[in-house]
């Protein structure tokens, strides 16, 4: 079921605030999907999903390899009969203020502050499409 991002509804928004561990799907250089569990936050006002990771992670490498135009990705979370997928274009962000914001949002959603990591970057996804049943 398609979700109208301009008016997604309270159930959809609540689902993306609850503690779930979604998966991120990126594309490897050979075209095959790479799917990994991640912590992700969704900012409906700016239509941005954010993931924190190490700059040396495979997911960050796949996104960075796409170049400045970004990489097509999807994040999906499931909880019994409820599910949702966010699709869009991802870019690796290294600016300290962007990474700090992503960390703060992660800490709020997952109720824990991640340990400091000098290798941390943020994968920022400009969400273009959503679907699901929350």
């Amino acid at each position: 079921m398609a979700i109208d991002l301009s008016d997604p509804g309270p159930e959809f928004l609540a689902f993306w605030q609850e503690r779930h561990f979604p998966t991120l799907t990126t594309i490897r250089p050979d075209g095959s999907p790479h799917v990994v569990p991640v912590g992700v936050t969704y900012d409906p006002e700016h239509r941005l999903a954010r993931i924190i990771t190490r700059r040396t992670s495979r997911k960050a490498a796949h996104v960075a390899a796409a170049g400045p135009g970004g990489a097509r990705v999807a994040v999906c979370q499931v909880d019994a009969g409820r599910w949702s997928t966010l699709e869009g274009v991802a870019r690796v962000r290294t600016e300290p203020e962007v990474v700090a914001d992503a960390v703060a949002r992660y800490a709020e959603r997952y109720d824990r502050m991640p340990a400091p990591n000098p290798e941390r970057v943020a994968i920022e996804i400009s969400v273009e499409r959503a679907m699901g049943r929350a």
Side-chain angles (χ1 to χ4, degrees):
M1 155 183 285
I3 303 294
D4 178 358
L5 289 171
S6 62
D7 186 19
E11 296 86 6
F12 172 86
L13 295 175
F15 191 53
W16 281 100
Q17 292 173 343
E18 296 169 7
R19 184 181 165 95
H20 298 289
F21 287 96
T23 58
L24 169 69
T25 303
T26 59
I27 304 300
R28 293 182 181 106
D30 69 2
S32 64
H34 177 252
V35 183
V36 294
V38 293
V40 64
T41 62
Y42 178 57
D43 173 358
E45 181 180 349
H46 297 102
R47 295 186 185 173
L48 290 175
R50 296 174 178 93
I51 296 164
I52 56 175
T53 189
R54 294 178 335 279
R55 74 178 69 247
T56 57
S57 71
R58 294 308 316 148
K59 57 187 160 286
H62 295 155
V63 171
R72 302 282 317 162
V73 302
V75 288
C76 180
Q77 64 183 18
V78 177
D79 179 39
R82 300 183 309 154
W83 64 276
S84 182
T85 301
L86 304 175
E87 299 177 13
V89 176
R91 292 173 181 81
V92 175
R93 302 289 304 267
T94 60
E95 304 91 332
E97 66 278 4
V98 173
V99 175
D101 182 50
V103 167
R105 290 170 186 272
Y106 175 96
E108 182 177 337
R109 181 175 187 192
Y110 294 101
D111 198 27
R112 74 171 195 87
M113 181 60 75
N117 182 346
E119 291 294 309
R120 183 169 287 133
V121 296
I123 295 176
E124 194 172 75
I125 304 165
S126 298
V127 177
E128 298 171 347
R129 185 180 353 192
M131 61 188 92
R133 184 174 61 202

